[in-house]
Amino acid sequence: MITLTKIVPDQQSSYRQILRATSLFGAVQVFNIIISIIRSKFVAVLLGPTGMGIMGLLTSTIGMISRLTNFGLGTSAVKDIASALGTGKEKRIGIIITVIRRFVWITGLMGLIITAVLSHWLSQITFGSSEYSLAFIWLSISLLFDQLSSGQLVILQGLRQLNYLAKANLSGSFIGLFISIPLYYIWDLDGIVPGIIGSALFSLLMSWYFAKKTKFIKTPLSVAQTLVEGKNMLQVGFMISLSGFFSVAASYIVRIYISRIGGVDQVGLYTAGFAIINTYVGLIFNAMGTDYYPRLSAVAHDNSICKQTINQQAEIAILILAPILIVFLIVIQWVVILLYSRQFIAVNEMINWAALGMFFKAASWAVAFMFLAKGSGKLFFWNELMANAYLLAFNILGYHFWGLTGLGISFAIGYLVYLIQVYVISKIKFAFNFDSDFVKIFSIQLCLVLVVFLTINFLNIPYAYQAGTLLAIISGWYSIAELEKKMGLLSILRRYRDKIDSNFNI
């Protein structure tokens, strides 16, 4: 006999907060996805796999430098602002914001200088020649723009100014799109670098505009005071930055390996495939993480509340993600053609396996935030370093034996191992465990995803589509039923419908 868990009002409120934030930033991510689809389509048609490969190599190299020089301020500073906000002391909030704004200038300029100085070496390592040295010098400017923009967005996120944060993201992406596409059309491959710089510049302008709308006490600080106040932020941030550097470096090594073994075209296919997974499926993580991290940071001192918050977030992530993954598995071939072109169909099997890996990533993602929320920078660093080491090994072996499909297999296996790893560490260090509700939801949805995965790979069309559609309906129905039980989803939707109807009747 199945016993339904009664959800108390406080828990309902917590679930609804998660859904509200997810809805807001889910809408932002959907808009960003539409922009990304348009951009990717133009890149695929105008520049082809070669252009996609060059762009992937340039951005991954710049990303690697950025991760090393940004001191993780985009993450560690959110915790500091959220903690200051929790004290209710306006002066304290002003001090932290002043520190952040100074640090992003210093770290941004550091990234610019390092990239410009090492431009010749970066071109040699990445492309095997000095042909792209000038490109890296120009791209160093985008590092400064990105870091300054990150500083403004961190302020909005930490202060929970979610509407301004959403508007900053939307407007920056929208303007960046209309800057980059004409450059690709006019200058072909030569438009890649100006397109990246232009997008970074307008993202900065939009983030700056909305950050200036926030009200806080401006507090003058000496250099010594700035260092004292920002010491912990830099320590935790440096560990985040270092782990992020190893993550991007691992991705960079994989791209270089693919380029040497399979050519730049294969890099383009790999980049396109994982852009679909990380951008279009990964929107759930981006939407949830914006609110989840500062919310978890506020309760991180209490293991019991922390555990409850993580389980609730993980449940919502799985309930939303599972039906999306199932639909994604069914229509992936048409998605690839729509987003890119028939030249990119070779990535279908890789994406199928990677989509399976995203399911394991959803559960591990919710838990891994706890290390940062508790300020355990060293633990986070060693956890991520270990994960990046075996993910890199899996990727190299996967591509060596099975080509692009092997990269999808390595992604799925890697995140299964990572889920086990973060769970064991969090259980030992913080007495964390998944509750029975999450285990039930995870198990049921995983079984449905696995059946669809096997159906798509081993049944002939149209039977695969028919069976997959039925399972998608079952997964969606189950998610809606669970959300209704936990938070009264249908009553929320009815109130939203009535509100729309009343507005139209005015």
Side-chain angles (χ1 to χ4, degrees), residues 338-349:
L338 173 66
L339 297 179
Y340 300 111
S341 69
R342 290 188 177 274
Q343 290 178 286
F344 291 80
I345 289 179
V347 301
N348 283 1
E349 288 187 14

Side-chain angles (χ1 to χ4, degrees), residues 155-175:
I155 293 169
L156 293 173
Q157 185 179 354
L159 294 176
R160 307 293 293 279
Q161 296 291 324
L162 301 185
N163 285 326
Y164 286 155
L165 182 59
K167 290 175 182 178
N169 279 316
L170 285 174
S171 54
S173 298
F174 186 75
I175 296 173

